[in-house]
Amino acid sequence: MIHFVLLISRQGKVRLTKWYSPYSQKERSKVIRELSGLVISRGPKLCNFVEWRGLKVVYKRYASLYFCICNDQEDNELETLSIIHHYVETLDRYFGSVCELDLIFNFHKAYFILDEVLLAGMMQETSKRTTLRLIAAQEELVEAAKEEASSLSNIIAQATK
Amino acid sequence: MGSQGGFGQSKEFLDLIKSIGEARSKAEEDRIVIREIETLKRRISEPDIPKRKMKEYIIRLLYVEMLGHDASFGYIHAVKMTHDDNLPSKRTGYLAVTLFLNDDHDLIILIVNTIQKDLKSDNYLVVCAALNAVCRLINDETIPAVLPLVVDLLSHSKEAVRKKAVMALHSFHRKSPSSVSHLISNFRKRLCDNDPGVMGATLCPLFDLVNADPTPYKDLVVSFVSILKQVAEHRLPKSYDYHQMPAPFVQIKLLKILALLGSGDKLASEHMYTVIGDVIRKGDSSSNIGNAILYESIRCVSSIYPNAKLLEAAADVIAKFLKSDSHNLKYMGIDALGRLIKLSPLIAEQHQLAVIDCLEDPDDTLKRKTFELLYKMTKSSNVEVIVDRMIDYMISISDDHYKTYIASRCVELAEQFAPSNHWFIQTMNKVFEHAGDLVNIKVAHNLMRLIAEGFGEDDDTTYSQLRSSAVESYLRIIGEPKLPSVFLQVICWVLGEYGTADGKHSASYITGKLCDMAEAYSNDETVKAYAITALTKIYSFEIAAGRKVDMLSECQSLVEELLASHSTDLQQRAYELQSVIGLDARAVEAILPHDASCEDIEVDKNISFLNDYVQKAIERGAMPYISENERSGMVNMSNFSSQDQQESGQHGLRFEAYEVPKPPVPSKVTPVSLSSVTDLVPVSESLYARETHHITSVGVASDTGSSGLKLKLDGVQKKWGKPTYSSPASSSNSTSQNPVNGVTKVDVATTVNSKVRDSYDSRKQQNEIDPEKQKLAASLFGGSTKPERRTSASSKVSKASAGAADRPQDSKAAIVPNKTSGEKTNQQPPPQDLLDLGEPTVTVAPPTVDPFQQLEGLLDASISSTVSPSVGAVSNAPDIMSLYTGSTSSEQRGAGGYIPVTGDNLNLLSELSSAAAVRGTTGETNAAPLSLSVKGANAKDSLEKDAKVRQMGVTPTSQNPNLFRDLLG
């Protein structure tokens, strides 16, 4: 089973964390510190797996973002690698050519999508279409969506004020 | 894009994220976050916050917590938000609580009620949100509150709900199996669900159940096989395809379950052979997921009842993995080899050079996996090479976790397969020297025992040879700085027992060494204790042999220092030393007979030899011993304490009146035993041999009579304060017996293993090229004999020998994959969402000079130096158009092909752009326009996004020039 999912930027900044096993806040910071050092320092040609405290961390770099999943020693690493890619593809479809900024500003949406892909540390849905349909259904109910949708000009106005 | 890409938050929040993005140090980031926490604390407790604002505050809290700060002040607001009727708020509330809280948090109890209500909701989306929270937050205490509701949802009309209900039930099963044990049949039912998503989710709990006990599920073998067959034949809806593979995640889950069900079951396995063969045949080794399935099939094949055909197919796949240039596949190949080697030992032989390449690879992960494999194929003929390699690696790393692990592996292998005692001792010395503090103390005791006893069958001369070689090696090592404590203990003990035994070294030489050591490690009391006892032994051997003892002056001062030590244990030992030296040869001989460490010592637990003494004392009017039970009944002390515990255990209030306190009866036992101790000590000095040990160690208990109920020696040991008291060196002949008896050696296990391994016995290796590698291979595998293997091997080796070391070869090998993968991708059909090549002309970007471009060039300089040939070719192309075509082909790879053979081809895009930036040929060649040229349909969106973000001023400043890059190349 998956113990946690981490997204770290190349500078070591945390972009998303999801914990499926209980870790205290203190342990979490420690894990993040330890792993970001471990993962970011690895060269590009090496394998995408790191054995760590008796568990296994599978990571993959997309542009400047590292996606890490930590799971049990016995799990299939290539499958985990595919889970990461599956998630990124789902994000990509949702955001429309996803980039790091999308995840920075809409991290809660990334969480919602992750919750539809993984549940309780297991893969719950392997169809991108099903996942996105459910997310879309949830968002249709967001009344505020109208405002958000038309907010492009607002934001620009706001930001340039 | 619309609502999805829009940043629907307030300026304040955007500013926060922006400023954190631009923070140059962790300290600066922390400062910003702390300021944010202050703001939020103030704002969130204001009355009448509009819902939308509140939602944003909660999301900001999430952000703060994600960055590692404490946001616990806001938890309660997140909980409150789950009560909200408005779905978006509720959803945000649930997201927040699942991220904030673990299932043991006190606030959970406030959420359970809401969850119950939401699980009954008419709106399936509300139910979904609640089920997500159930999986995370419901613990074994609260399961009963929601269980019936969740079970009802298993037959909900929406598949999304059924799926989540299955997962929820699964999480209950993991947290408390007994609570749902009566509901397990539901999983079987859901396996036949119409919706493939629900069926796929059901495989998760079934896997766990089968893993725990496969027997009740044997009847499902046929169903699993037929599901796998249908999936492999592409019967599931297209949306479950992943990179052209039919529902690969489901296939993998099924293979895992089949592996468990078929393990050691011939009948069940026979059902599976065909379908597994099909899966392997259909396996697509050019994609990551295809390889994942292939790997899982190998695991399955190696776990079920063996079938020759399948083993062959698996071996072929492994060969493909190992020959691949991707580190990932090599890793998987090594792992798979380790699994298959148990069934067909010969298979390793073909791959010996590949294995050695992996062992010498700079990648730690791969190296460790290879050690794992070597560990599995160790036998007595190659143990020396393997353990030597392991130790070398152990010395080179600093990761304590893995060091401990590999040290224990070394010890295990050395104990099982050691070809000679001498080698064993040398090996153990190395392990202790470099990882002494990490190995289990038992290992040290084992080593001492081995030196004392030998391996069993040898005659006396080999014994003494073994011992003197041990003594020699320790005398050499002893001078090294900073040896681990455990190792020093072993050294002291061995020097004390055998330092002077062969007559090569004089007593004063050995004692001098021991004194030096005690001085050098004066902080370590255990070492000092071992050292002083070793001194005692050496002096007494001298006395017994009739030689005159003159103590060295440093020895004298050591003893004096210890006589005044704070540690009673050290004091005791020093006094023992002093008194032993004062005795005559006959007496000493009886106390510490030579070479008696292996003799068993009978311990009279009832200390019956003291009966006379006790009797006399009672006659003189001493109090008889009262056993502890009686004592506690009398004093009632324990009752009080247990009552206290009860009170602190219950949280609630107590309503009955307190009992009337009874005055505690003062214990009369303690003073008696105290006095007895004081007059025991002088007595012990005049007694001989074993009695000494008994009396002193029994100490307090001796007066308290013969009831024996509580008089276990280890209990006494604690009373004396030092756990070392009864450890091996404490007093010569009585000593080593205790710990050694606790340790059981594992020789038995060897026979089984070695039988299997010996079946592929060593044949002479005769490859001509690169002698060193050959030699290693030969020593590991015992040589290969197959001619066709030799040729391919030699070609590989010749490549390696061209560059003297291994590194050049690595780099050479690394070049190959990119080429091949490039070719492969070009052959693939372009996915539909690709742009046609005409479009890019529209997108040539306006600005001529961009601060970005330079930044990018700077940052990516490192990457561009490693640009792979295919990319390099593209960047050399003269005009921008060819750049775009280059990018499309790489896009093909990302979206359609996804062939991560090299692990980083998704960086292609960034490399492309950086290469272009370095050359500086065109105006704007950063990733944004590239990506939009790539994404065709989304071109406009991306442009807008780009412009918008720019106007917000988020990026151009610094740090994160990669922000605009699409994650998917």
Side-chain angles (χ1 to χ4, degrees):
Chain A
M1 101 171 237
I2 293 170
H3 295 280
F4 54 80
V5 177
L6 279 186
L7 264 68
I8 330 172
S9 77
R10 208 170 60 179
Q11 287 82 14
K13 291 190 172 151
V14 180
R15 297 298 184 215
L16 186 144
T17 58
K18 179 90 189 175
W19 308 85
Y20 295 105
S21 302
Y23 286 87
S24 73
Q25 186 72 24
K26 218 171 154 193
E27 286 166 333
R28 290 178 183 187
S29 318
K30 196 162 161 256
V31 167
I32 292 171
R33 225 180 311 120
E34 219 174 283
L35 273 185
S36 54
L38 206 67
V39 167
I40 293 171
S41 64
R42 280 175 70 82
K45 287 263 174 279
L46 308 183
C47 47
N48 295 63
F49 324 129
V50 184
E51 276 165 35
W52 174 79
R53 296 203 203 161
L55 298 173
K56 213 169 278 172
V57 177
V58 177
Y59 70 93
K60 186 153 176 65
R61 184 179 155 178
Y62 292 88
S64 56
L65 256 194
Y66 286 89
F67 287 69
C68 314
I69 289 186
C70 171
N71 55 12
D72 287 323
Q73 194 69 254
E74 273 302 294
D75 286 338
N76 181 338
E77 293 88 349
L78 291 177
E79 183 195 7
T80 314
L81 211 52
S82 299
I83 292 177
I84 294 180
H85 197 73
H86 173 78
Y87 177 51
V88 175
E89 282 183 344
T90 313
L91 286 174
D92 192 55
R93 273 210 201 160
Y94 177 80
F95 286 107
S97 83
V98 65
C99 70
E100 192 177 344
L101 267 191
D102 289 320
L103 300 187
I104 295 175
F105 287 102
N106 287 305
F107 64 92
H108 58 292
K109 293 188 176 159
Y111 274 121
F112 284 132
I113 296 174
L114 186 62
D115 275 346
E116 296 306 325
V117 177
L118 298 174
L119 189 58
M122 298 280 174
M123 187 108 178
Q124 64 155 330
E125 182 53 69
T126 60
S127 156
K128 267 169 271 185
R129 191 183 298 158
T130 315
T131 306
L132 291 175
R133 217 187 287 135
L134 199 61
I135 294 277
Q138 287 166 358
E139 285 187 344
E140 270 164 28
L141 284 157
V142 180
E143 294 101 321
K146 272 172 271 156
E147 286 175 60
E148 284 184 14
S150 64
S151 63
L152 197 143
S153 51
N154 291 343
I155 290 171
I156 294 174
Q158 256 180 349
T160 47
K161 240 189 301 206
Chain B
M1 200 158 100
S3 73
Q4 298 151 10
F7 308 122
Q9 293 88 22
S10 71
K11 170 110 168 47
E12 225 177 20
F13 185 36
L14 294 177
D15 283 346
L16 168 73
I17 292 180
K18 202 173 102 186
S19 58
I20 284 178
E22 286 169 1
R24 280 165 200 286
S25 65
K26 183 77 182 138
E28 194 182 336
E29 184 187 303
D30 287 347
R31 227 170 25 243
I32 297 169
V33 175
I34 287 166
R35 211 180 328 126
E36 170 71 8
I37 290 177
E38 288 306 314
T39 320
L40 282 176
K41 260 187 196 161
R42 215 171 42 240
R43 295 278 187 78
I44 213 161
S45 47
E46 282 170 10
D48 300 332
I49 306 168
K51 273 179 188 161
R52 218 166 77 76
K53 265 260 155 318
M54 195 61 192
K55 207 176 107 192
E56 188 188 305
Y57 290 151
I58 297 289
I59 291 177
R60 281 158 74 172
L61 278 175
L62 281 181
Y63 194 66
V64 165
E65 179 123 334
M66 191 169 84
L67 294 174
H69 293 262
D70 177 42
S72 52
F73 64 90
Y75 290 175
I76 187 68
H77 296 282
V79 172
K80 253 196 251 163
M81 192 166 243
T82 61
H83 302 335
D84 204 306
D85 290 330
N86 170 3
L87 179 68
S89 296
K90 190 183 270 304
R91 196 164 152 242
T92 311
Y94 273 129
L95 175 69
V97 289
T98 52
L99 288 169
F100 284 148
L101 309 179
N102 278 333
D103 66 3
D104 55 354
H105 200 280
D106 292 340
L107 288 176
I108 298 291
I109 209 73
L110 295 178
I111 305 173
V112 172
N113 200 9
T114 322
I115 289 180
Q116 281 177 329
K117 205 178 84 215
D118 287 344
L119 288 177
K120 282 183 256 178
S121 165
D122 295 333
N123 185 341
Y124 80 99
L125 293 169
V126 172
V127 181
C128 283
L131 280 172
N132 274 352
V134 164
C135 287
R136 173 85 181 124
L137 299 178
I138 297 298
N139 55 24
D140 45 2
E141 280 170 40
T142 36
I143 285 173
V146 294
L147 187 59
L149 295 167
V150 172
V151 172
D152 286 347
L153 292 175
L154 284 173
S155 44
H156 196 272
S157 62
K158 281 282 182 190
E159 63 277 356
V161 174
R162 293 202 298 274
K163 187 174 66 190
K164 283 179 194 290
V166 168
M167 300 299 274
L169 215 53
H170 181 206
S171 81
F172 295 162
H173 180 260
R174 271 203 315 241
K175 284 171 183 165
S176 154
S178 58
S179 66
V180 289
S181 52
H182 57 289
L183 295 166
I184 280 169
S185 61
N186 283 296
F187 292 135
R188 285 165 171 265
K189 240 184 272 163
R190 283 304 121 210
L191 190 62
C192 314
D193 200 282
N194 293 329
D195 183 71
V198 181
M199 184 271 293
T202 315
L203 295 176
C204 302
L206 281 174
F207 172 76
D208 273 9
L209 289 168
V210 174
N211 197 13
D213 178 18
T215 358
Y217 299 92
K218 294 283 185 190
D219 59 312
L220 285 180
V221 170
V222 184
S223 325
F224 286 129
V225 166
S226 87
I227 296 174
L228 180 56
K229 192 155 172 275
Q230 291 177 42
V231 173
E233 282 170 358
H234 228 134
R235 299 271 187 80
L236 286 191
K238 258 228 154 340
S239 73
Y240 284 89
D241 281 11
Y242 179 80
H243 296 222
Q244 277 109 49
M245 293 298 287
F249 297 107
V250 176
Q251 288 194 44
I252 290 175
K253 264 264 130 46
L254 283 167
L255 284 168
K256 279 184 180 166
I257 295 175
L258 288 182
L260 292 172
L261 285 173
S263 170
D265 184 340
K266 194 172 176 196
L267 201 72
S269 302
E270 271 163 4
H271 288 294
M272 305 170 190
Y273 292 152
T274 342
V275 73
I276 296 173
D278 283 351
V279 170
I280 296 184
R281 208 160 345 98
K282 284 183 186 152
D284 163 24
S285 60
S286 63
S287 72
N288 191 43
I289 191 69
N291 286 321
I293 294 178
L294 284 175
Y295 167 76
E296 203 56 58
S297 317
I298 301 176
R299 276 180 72 154
C300 186
V301 168
S302 67
S303 157
I304 61 176
Y305 192 86
N307 170 287
K309 248 192 194 152
L310 286 180
L311 285 176
E312 212 171 283
D316 287 346
V317 176
I318 291 180
K320 232 184 277 171
F321 281 0
L322 286 175
K323 272 187 224 151
S324 150
D325 284 297
S326 147
H327 272 71
N328 286 348
L329 287 188
K330 277 189 191 167
Y331 178 92
M332 300 315 269
I334 294 279
D335 182 90
L337 195 58
R339 291 174 192 278
L340 220 57
I341 211 166
K342 279 173 279 173
L343 298 172
S344 52
L346 281 171
I347 177 182
E349 220 173 78
Q350 321 168 11
H351 302 299
Q352 40 183 292
L353 288 168
V355 171
I356 288 170
D357 278 345
C358 292
L359 190 62
E360 281 163 3
D361 198 276
D363 186 351
D364 259 0
T365 312
L366 193 51
K367 211 178 243 178
R368 289 176 188 189
K369 196 83 211 170
T370 316
F371 277 125
E372 195 78 1
L373 172 67
L374 292 182
Y375 168 76
K376 284 185 189 147
M377 43 185 259
T378 307
K379 54 193 174 179
S380 47
S381 66
N382 59 12
V383 65
E384 289 173 73
V385 190
I386 289 177
V387 172
D388 276 357
R389 288 249 153 188
M390 282 186 173
I391 290 177
D392 284 348
Y393 181 64
M394 185 186 81
I395 295 170
S396 71
I397 56 172
S398 55
D399 167 7
D400 271 2
H401 186 87
Y402 193 71
K403 218 172 185 164
T404 317
Y405 176 75
I406 200 165
S408 68
R409 284 261 143 122
C410 288
V411 171
E412 196 185 319
L413 289 179
E415 283 181 353
Q416 277 186 28
F417 298 109
S420 70
N421 294 346
H422 181 74
W423 178 84
F424 180 78
I425 290 173
Q426 295 303 328
T427 306
M428 297 310 276
N429 285 353
K430 269 193 231 158
V431 173
F432 276 120
E433 200 176 331
H434 298 286
D437 293 327
L438 303 172
V439 263
N440 195 325
I441 184 81
K442 279 180 182 170
V443 176
H445 295 157
N446 249 357
L447 178 61
M448 288 188 242
R449 195 185 64 155
L450 178 98
I451 294 174
E453 291 179 347
F455 270 120
E457 318 100 14
D458 311 313
D459 54 276
D460 277 354
T461 49
T462 42
Y463 267 7
S464 53
Q465 269 170 12
L466 169 71
R467 286 166 188 168
S468 34
S469 84
V471 169
E472 289 299 326
S473 67
Y474 290 147
L475 284 175
R476 250 196 327 274
I477 291 169
I478 211 169
E480 311 240 332
K482 286 210 176 151
L483 293 171
S485 171
V486 183
F487 191 34
L488 290 167
Q489 291 165 27
V490 176
I491 294 179
C492 285
W493 189 82
V494 171
L495 290 184
E497 282 287 327
Y498 306 114
T500 54
D502 60 358
K504 266 193 218 152
H505 302 284
S506 69
S508 64
Y509 178 70
I510 303 275
T511 49
K513 287 277 184 194
L514 285 168
C515 289
D516 288 349
M517 193 157 73
E519 204 178 321
Y521 299 91
S522 55
N523 291 331
D524 192 334
E525 290 198 347
T526 324
V527 171
K528 277 206 281 194
Y530 270 81
I532 188 93
T533 310
L535 288 175
T536 315
K537 279 187 268 186
I538 289 174
Y539 284 131
S540 57
F541 295 156
E542 288 295 293
I543 293 169
R547 284 187 284 264
K548 198 178 164 306
V549 173
D550 29 50
M551 236 194 222
L552 296 176
S553 61
E554 64 238 57
C555 195
Q556 208 93 49
S557 59
L558 177 70
V559 172
E560 266 157 37
E561 180 205 323
L562 293 188
L563 284 174
S565 166
H566 288 296
S567 154
T568 46
D569 174 57
L570 289 179
Q571 262 192 43
Q572 163 103 18
R573 287 163 197 262
Y575 273 113
E576 278 172 6
L577 170 64
Q578 263 195 339
S579 50
V580 164
I581 285 178
L583 298 170
D584 64 10
R586 197 183 51 80
V588 171
E589 174 82 57
I591 299 175
L592 289 170
H594 196 77
D595 193 14
S597 58
C598 305
E599 278 164 30
D600 285 342
I601 290 160
E602 284 163 35
V603 176
D604 184 357
K605 280 192 183 166
N606 291 330
I607 36 182
S608 52
F609 55 88
L610 283 176
N611 283 351
D612 281 353
Y613 180 79
V614 174
Q615 200 58 45
K616 262 183 228 159
I618 290 175
E619 274 165 24
R620 276 204 305 266
M623 283 281 289
Y625 174 68
I626 304 159
S627 75
E628 196 177 326
N629 290 347
E630 295 167 51
R631 236 180 313 163
S632 59
M634 221 158 80
V635 177
N636 223 355
M637 283 300 273
S638 58
N639 279 359
F640 280 130
S641 65
S642 72
Q643 210 167 53
D644 281 348
Q645 265 170 6
Q646 247 174 18
E647 272 166 33
S648 62
Q650 304 165 340
H651 280 297
L653 294 169
R654 285 179 42 145
F655 295 104
E656 57 293 12
Y658 289 115
E659 290 166 39
V660 185
K662 296 172 198 147
V665 181
S667 162
K668 283 168 200 164
V669 183
T670 28
V672 176
S673 62
L674 266 181
S675 71
S676 80
V677 171
T678 47
D679 56 37
L680 257 178
V681 178
V683 172
S684 77
E685 280 181 327
S686 65
L687 282 174
Y688 281 144
R690 284 157 201 188
E691 272 172 341
T692 323
H693 178 65
H694 288 155
I695 293 183
T696 49
S697 64
V698 163
V700 175
S702 61
D703 182 54
T704 49
S706 56
S707 82
L709 238 173
K710 284 278 166 186
L711 295 183
K712 294 216 176 102
L713 276 180
D714 27 356
V716 178
Q717 178 190 330
K718 263 185 210 143
K719 253 176 204 159
W720 279 95
K722 275 281 134 187
T724 52
Y725 186 77
S726 68
S727 64
S730 65
S731 65
S732 136
N733 57 1
S734 65
T735 52
S736 69
Q737 172 249 1
N738 187 9
V740 165
N741 280 351
V743 181
T744 42
K745 245 188 121 195
V746 272
D747 304 61
V748 197
T750 10
T751 50
V752 185
N753 290 334
S754 56
K755 223 186 256 169
V756 181
R757 282 160 192 158
D758 287 342
S759 65
Y760 65 118
D761 227 341
S762 39
R763 275 153 284 179
K764 277 285 161 244
Q765 166 92 6
Q766 68 301 60
N767 269 339
E768 311 73 33
I769 323 107
D770 196 343
E772 207 167 290
K773 214 176 238 183
Q774 289 301 327
K775 230 170 77 192
L776 182 57
S779 48
L780 281 178
F781 298 89
S784 80
T785 44
K786 290 177 191 160
E788 88 274 10
R789 279 305 307 169
R790 213 186 305 148
T791 52
S792 77
S794 63
S795 75
K796 199 165 186 189
V797 173
S798 67
K799 220 193 273 170
S801 58
D806 309 307
R807 295 288 158 87
Q809 191 219 356
D810 275 349
S811 61
K812 227 187 241 175
I815 293 170
V816 188
N818 278 329
K819 271 187 198 151
T820 50
S821 70
E823 281 160 21
K824 266 180 214 148
T825 45
N826 286 339
Q827 285 157 6
Q828 247 156 28
Q832 317 93 320
D833 64 335
L834 260 186
L835 71 166
D836 39 351
L837 283 175
E839 205 167 342
T841 43
V842 186
T843 64
V844 174
T848 39
V849 180
D850 195 309
F852 247 156
Q853 185 194 333
Q854 288 137 14
L855 269 171
E856 217 129 276
L858 279 177
L859 245 156
D860 285 329
S862 60
I863 302 173
S864 63
S865 69
T866 63
V867 168
S868 53
S870 61
V871 175
V874 172
S875 64
N876 286 335
D879 62 353
I880 188 168
M881 265 315 286
S882 61
L883 262 177
Y884 280 128
T885 47
S887 74
T888 40
S889 77
S890 74
E891 159 66 10
Q892 234 164 321
R893 212 179 281 191
Y898 182 57
I899 305 173
V901 187
T902 58
D904 67 348
N905 49 14
L906 276 144
N907 297 333
L908 270 179
L909 197 53
S910 66
E911 287 172 359
L912 246 182
S913 71
S914 68
V918 170
R919 295 189 78 232
T921 46
T922 51
E924 167 124 16
T925 44
N926 65 31
L930 270 182
S931 69
L932 64 97
S933 78
V934 155
K935 269 284 166 181
N938 294 327
K940 220 171 144 219
D941 285 354
S942 313
L943 242 190
E944 275 169 349
K945 203 194 280 179
D946 182 30
K948 176 180 60 186
V949 178
R950 233 161 243 257
Q951 271 171 330
M952 278 164 32
V954 180
T955 40
T957 39
S958 67
Q959 298 276 335
N960 239 347
N962 289 322
L963 282 182
F964 289 107
R965 234 163 252 171
D966 286 359
L967 292 175
L968 278 168

